[in-house]
Amino acid sequence: MNYIAPGIPADENERLAELAALNVLDTTAEEDFDSLARLAAFICGTPISLVSLVDAKRQWFKARVGLDAAETPRDISFCTHAIADPDQLFIVTDASKDKRFRENPLVTGDPNIRFYAGMPLKTGEGSAVGTLCVIDRVPRDLSVMQREALVTLSNAVVAQLNLRRRLSRHEQYYAMLARVSARIARTTDIEGLCSEACHAGVELGGLRMAWIGRLDIPSGNVQPVAWATSKGRLAESMVCSIAIDPFERALASEAIASRHPRVCNDLATVSHASPGGVWHQHGLLASAILPLAVDDVLWGTMSLYAGRKNFFDPFYLDRANELAADISFGIDRLQKTRDIHYLSFYDTVTGLPNQAGFEDKFGTLAPQIHCGCLLVVGMEQLDHVAAAYGAGAIDSVLKQVAQRLQAHAPHRAIAALVRRRLFALFVPDEDPANFSRFATQHLAAALSAPYSIDDVQVGCAIHLGASFFPDDGKTIGALLTAAERAVQSARSLQQTFRFYNKKIDETTTVQLRLEGELRKAISRREFVNYYQPKIDLATGRIVGAEALMRWLHPERGLVSPAEFIPVLESSGLILEAGRQALGRAIIDYCTWRDAGLGTPRIAVNVTALQLRDQNFITDIQHELAAGKCDPVALSIELTESSLMTAEQQVRGVLQALREIGILVAIDDFGTGYSSLSYLVTLPIDELKIDRAFIMRMTTEPAYMGLVNTIISLAHNLNLKVVAEGIENNEQANLLRLLRCDQAQGYLYSKPVPADDFAAMLARNII
Ligand code: C2E
Ligand code: MG
Ligand code: MG
């Protein structure tokens, strides 16, 4: 096609931004524009008149007279030629003779343009967004009067467009303000509010970018809190780089110092001051910085950027100031709400929840738990501290108590300062015995360590009291009252810790006392092994021994395991006590062996906790090596329940024992809920039928049937069967008939001290 396409104006980007800001493209026809177009056609005597707006790729007609098309491609439009000089009327008297147009399809075809006169529409300061033009299908010209009329009418179109822009700006800005106000009403966080304001500024306020920063008063720096850009995501790093730009900082300082907006409507003129040219890179041509003051105290700034020079006119700044005032109001409201919430739920000195906060947190936790312990800390001598070091010293001590309490608080526990000097700690799903241990062994020690007041170390006695949820109360109020009573009784009895509930208190006290004694007993090696023989039912000879622990109490004499094994287990002391029992069994075995007594294997009872101990196997190997003892010396007895837990890990330990050559027996078989078919998947060698079955088998046929089944099933699985608690010959005879392998019980011998057992072995006459 042989026509000359119009050039692109140098400031095309700004021109298009201006056109977009008018918000007029693709809108419906409006009488204000149509009447001006009609007037132009009437005065100039042309069949066609257009208000044409030149978009990036097309010209679009806001008003048209005598033409059907709503738009044409930009590269064939006459108007694009016309706007090349925004201040001049552009006239083509005969397009068919003009080399720029004679091949133009608008000339060669419909609407067969010959004459064109277009006056550019300059709405902003620079280039034109389009034209008011008149067109004829015959060559001709305009009179001077007609030309003047066309210029006047084009000014009227420009005025109309500007009015439109102002109206649309009003609409948009009020929508922007409304959006921020709506957010203020429902937002709960300052960051959310700031982010909404930035997005509203970009999406409705025609900005290219906006960010809000918080002022750090000592350094004068402004730290970005929220931001938004019209171009997708904006990296925090970019906002930060703009925030520290020297020009930006200078402008922000001026805004902060004067407490008035500061505007730079042409950032290109200061680009030399900022070699990085951050604004330039992001197409930011004008900026305004608004100070945000909350309760008359400067809070931060809002920085606005536009992609157009001279964007921030007085109208815009008025709206922006309203926006800033709204944001400041919102921040103020949120800060006050937060302060009120904080003051009502937290203690300001320690930062711990106060009673209301404690109740609030407990209320959330309570439905999720079964039980729990509430502890109250009674701080004695705080008045002495105040008298000696001043009231401020109390705050310092309270802060330290709070820190220690939090440092020792178990997972999910809630620490609180429920009254001025009363600390509380709620530990969910904790059983009283464990809690007593925690309170007396860890917390009491931590809280009674000296407190620093300035450079002085001050001791402060404490008493602890606890109540148990839900037994002692279902609300914090009731639990606190009970725990405070417990503190009082601890105080009057001069004890460190007490439970409110008498029964719990007694059992935990007894248990704790026993625990302390057991600890001492372990270190003093007060435990001994008694031995009970295992008899081969076919031959009547001793073929094994079970080591049974006894406590030789210095005052109480021999204490039975039923009394202390559960406490050893719950306190974890069984690890050391069990190690000692194994060690003694090995030593006794070696003694008997060395005395030539034809010593049988010694079975040692082992608990689940010991099996889970990582050193269990190596400890046994170590003891065996120390006594130069063969693994044939040992077997271990495990209860069914200990085999049900930690299955994978237990399997590994049992396997390792088998590899060493130590046999494994299942003790008290029949009391648990495991099935034989499950147990035989484990590497075990022996089954010990519980005494309860043996006791009832001679009187109840069902039990005899059960024992019979257990024995034959076990034999099918290659397990040796031992019957426990044989007390009479009838039981022994029956078991012999049922082909039980071994028997153990008072019929043969009660558990006896090592020396007596050696004598028994020497006689081997049973
Ligand atoms: P267990 O391992 O089932 O031991 C058998 C218990 O039955 C022993 O009680 C034994 O004295 C008792 N007994 C044996 N024959 C008869 C009988 O004919 N009639 C009656 N009424 N009782 C009989 P003991 O010595 O009081 O031990 C009780 C439990 O304490 C043991 O039950 C075992 O589970 C645990 N235990 C004992 N020593 C240790 C140890 O060193 N470590 C661990 N972890 N537990 C041990
Ligand atoms: Mg046993
Ligand atoms: Mg048993």
Side-chain angles (χ1 to χ4, degrees):
M1 218 176 280
N2 189 17
Y3 68 94
I4 297 171
I8 301 289
D11 53 356
E12 175 72 359
N13 283 344
E14 280 178 54
R15 198 188 69 77
L16 288 175
E18 173 72 19
L19 179 59
L22 294 173
N23 233 354
V24 66
L25 286 173
D26 298 313
T27 53
T28 49
E30 285 171 70
E31 180 54 25
D32 290 339
F33 291 98
D34 289 347
S35 60
L36 289 170
R38 275 201 304 274
L39 211 52
F42 177 75
I43 293 171
C44 298
T46 54
I48 299 171
S49 168
L50 303 165
V51 173
S52 164
L53 298 165
V54 182
D55 197 1
K57 293 238 158 48
R58 58 171 182 165
Q59 65 170 337
W60 178 83
F61 308 127
K62 175 62 190 167
R64 56 186 199 271
V65 171
L67 191 73
D68 287 336
E71 61 179 52
T72 75
R74 178 170 173 175
D75 56 0
I76 56 170
S77 85
F78 281 62
C79 295
T80 311
H81 289 269
I83 62 170
D85 186 346
D87 300 309
Q88 285 296 324
L89 182 62
F90 179 73
I91 296 185
V92 179
T93 48
D94 187 353
S96 64
K97 297 217 170 81
D98 190 318
K99 65 176 192 267
R100 291 172 297 178
F101 299 106
R102 63 178 175 234
E103 300 285 330
N104 187 311
L106 299 176
V107 177
T108 54
D110 194 47
N112 295 305
I113 299 176
R114 290 294 176 275
F115 170 73
Y116 172 93
M119 184 60 204
L121 301 170
K122 208 166 94 172
T123 52
E125 285 187 357
S127 47
V129 291
T131 66
L132 168 66
C133 61
V134 286
I135 291 170
D136 208 336
R137 296 190 175 92
V138 292
R140 50 169 291 180
D141 204 346
L142 294 182
S143 68
V144 174
M145 195 271 286
Q146 285 172 321
R147 287 177 189 221
E148 278 172 11
L150 194 59
V151 171
T152 309
L153 287 173
S154 79
N155 286 339
V157 174
V158 165
Q160 202 58 45
L161 283 171
N162 279 335
L163 184 66
R164 217 199 125 74
R165 175 169 55 185
R166 273 209 298 281
L167 282 174
S168 121
R169 276 180 103 184
H170 272 80
E171 269 168 28
Q172 284 200 321
Y173 298 145
Y174 286 113
M176 168 177 88
L177 292 173
R179 183 163 147 186
V180 173
S181 310
R183 180 67 189 231
I184 289 171
R186 54 171 211 274
T187 197
T188 51
D189 66 312
I190 290 175
E191 289 73 22
L193 168 68
C194 291
S195 173
E196 183 74 15
C198 292
H199 279 98
V202 166
E203 285 154 28
L204 297 168
L207 295 170
R208 185 155 283 198
M209 183 178 130
W211 65 275
I212 293 178
R214 172 127 209 202
L215 173 70
D216 175 50
I217 292 175
S219 67
N221 290 335
V222 178
Q223 184 63 32
V225 174
W227 49 88
T229 167
S230 60
K231 289 191 170 173
R233 277 171 53 81
L234 180 66
E236 183 176 358
S237 57
M238 176 189 154
V239 183
C240 291
S241 73
I242 287 186
I244 56 168
D245 179 89
F247 178 77
E248 173 89 13
R249 285 188 59 165
L251 209 62
S253 323
E254 280 177 32
I256 287 167
S258 67
R259 295 198 171 210
H260 282 293
R262 278 289 172 269
V263 176
C264 176
N265 258 326
D266 188 1
L267 285 170
T269 58
V270 293
S271 61
H272 65 277
S274 132
V278 269
W279 305 299
H280 188 70
Q281 280 168 30
H282 300 282
L284 310 177
L285 296 177
S287 85
I289 299 189
L290 312 165
L292 300 174
V294 172
D295 241 2
D296 240 19
V297 178
L298 276 164
W299 184 91
T301 54
M302 180 173 197
S303 303
L304 314 176
Y305 304 86
R308 204 155 47 81
K309 270 197 313 192
N310 300 319
F311 182 84
F312 297 104
D313 57 12
F315 169 79
Y316 198 101
L317 282 176
D318 280 351
R319 301 294 83 71
N321 272 331
E322 286 171 45
L323 180 67
D326 279 2
I327 297 167
S328 299
F329 169 78
I331 293 172
D332 186 28
R333 194 184 70 90
L334 285 170
Q335 274 184 350
K336 287 200 170 113
T337 322
R338 203 153 66 181
D339 290 351
I340 288 167
H341 179 270
Y342 190 81
L343 287 176
S344 13
F345 285 95
Y346 288 88
D347 168 64
T348 46
V349 174
T350 59
L352 289 182
N354 59 18
Q355 179 152 353
F358 196 31
E359 279 170 9
D360 186 51
K361 286 182 187 292
F362 177 78
T364 314
L365 190 61
Q368 309 162 19
I369 59 173
H370 299 292
C371 62
C373 296
L374 184 138
L375 177 99
V376 156
V377 183
M379 304 284 304
E380 318 301 339
Q381 295 148 343
L382 274 187
D383 291 329
H384 300 288
V385 170
Y389 302 98
I394 292 192
D395 283 355
S396 162
V397 173
L398 292 178
K399 275 186 206 157
Q400 294 173 60
V401 175
Q403 282 161 3
R404 293 182 196 181
L405 208 54
Q406 280 174 312
H408 285 81
H411 176 58
R412 292 173 80 211
I414 314 166
L417 183 62
V418 288
R419 285 204 293 284
R420 181 76 182 110
R421 294 175 189 181
L422 195 70
F423 286 92
L425 180 74
F426 181 77
V427 183
D429 286 329
E430 181 72 305
D431 87 273
N434 269 338
F435 188 73
S436 300
R437 199 172 300 123
F438 160 72
T440 49
Q441 289 170 13
H442 300 286
L443 213 51
L447 296 179
S448 37
Y451 292 90
S452 333
I453 296 173
D454 300 328
D455 290 336
V456 192
Q457 299 287 305
V458 180
C460 188
I462 54 139
H463 290 104
L464 305 174
S467 52
F468 188 58
F469 166 78
D471 302 29
D472 299 338
K474 292 190 176 63
T475 63
I476 281 295
L479 290 165
L480 277 174
T481 311
E484 281 184 76
R485 291 230 179 100
V487 170
Q488 277 159 19
S489 83
R491 197 176 283 135
S492 57
L493 295 167
Q494 299 197 322
Q495 290 174 344
T496 312
F497 172 76
R498 289 214 64 162
F499 253 106
Y500 166 72
N501 186 310
K502 275 213 171 47
K503 224 164 110 207
I504 295 178
D505 194 48
E506 273 161 22
T507 41
T508 55
T509 315
V510 168
Q511 187 164 334
L512 284 187
R513 193 179 309 129
L514 187 58
E515 220 175 278
E517 289 180 44
L518 286 170
R519 193 168 278 117
K520 264 191 234 148
I522 290 172
S523 66
R524 293 179 187 160
R525 299 194 163 261
E526 287 173 1
F527 295 103
V528 293
N529 286 0
Y530 271 38
Y531 295 96
Q532 189 178 36
K534 289 182 181 173
I535 307 300
D536 184 325
L537 274 168
T539 64
R541 296 179 67 82
I542 299 175
V543 286
E546 177 172 9
L548 293 156
M549 204 189 289
R550 298 288 179 269
W551 180 10
L552 276 178
H553 196 282
E555 289 133 35
R556 291 165 62 201
L558 206 61
V559 183
S560 130
E563 229 183 280
F564 63 85
I565 293 279
V567 183
L568 284 181
E569 280 187 20
S570 68
S571 61
L573 293 170
I574 191 70
L575 292 179
E576 183 50 30
R579 229 189 319 269
Q580 290 187 5
L582 266 162
R584 287 192 301 270
I586 291 169
I587 290 170
D588 288 338
Y589 180 91
C590 294
T591 314
W592 303 332
R593 176 198 63 190
D594 295 346
L597 291 173
T599 314
R601 243 182 225 274
I602 300 179
V604 180
N605 292 285
V606 167
T607 62
L609 196 66
Q610 288 171 276
L611 278 190
R612 274 190 237 123
D613 178 15
Q614 291 191 332
N615 300 325
F616 181 65
I617 299 283
T618 44
D619 279 354
I620 293 183
Q621 285 176 314
H622 182 77
E623 297 278 353
L624 285 170
K628 293 199 179 63
C629 194
D630 202 80
V632 79
L634 284 184
S635 65
I636 64 160
E637 293 189 6
L638 296 164
T639 55
E640 277 180 80
S641 52
S642 61
L643 290 174
M644 298 303 290
T645 54
E647 210 218 304
Q648 238 355 83
Q649 202 250 344
V650 165
R651 260 172 213 274
V653 177
L654 297 184
Q655 200 54 50
L657 287 169
R658 171 163 285 183
E659 277 157 24
I660 299 171
I662 294 173
L663 299 186
V664 178
I666 296 190
D667 206 353
D668 304 343
F669 182 77
T671 53
Y673 297 95
S674 52
S675 69
L676 247 190
S677 54
Y678 158 71
L679 291 177
V680 294
T681 66
L682 302 171
I684 51 169
D685 311 280
E686 192 176 291
L687 205 69
K688 294 184 78 177
I689 305 176
D690 192 67
R691 193 166 71 88
F693 290 80
I694 309 300
M695 267 163 59
R696 297 170 80 170
M697 65 181 277
T698 46
T699 50
E700 293 174 49
Y703 275 82
M704 198 180 67
L706 210 66
V707 172
N708 187 19
T709 313
I710 294 173
I711 295 173
S712 40
L713 275 176
H715 281 164
N716 281 340
L717 297 165
N718 275 335
L719 299 176
K720 200 168 276 168
V721 186
V722 183
E724 289 188 288
I726 315 294
E727 293 189 348
N728 54 51
N729 279 315
E730 196 189 349
Q731 292 166 334
N733 291 334
L734 211 52
L735 286 163
R736 203 173 293 117
L737 282 175
L738 296 176
R739 312 185 78 81
C740 180
D741 302 291
Q742 294 175 10
Q744 189 184 341
Y746 292 174
L747 174 66
Y748 309 102
S749 168
K750 288 198 165 182
V752 295
D755 287 349
D756 295 3
F757 192 77
M760 212 186 287
L761 281 180
R763 291 197 304 277
N764 203 10
I765 49 159
I766 301 163

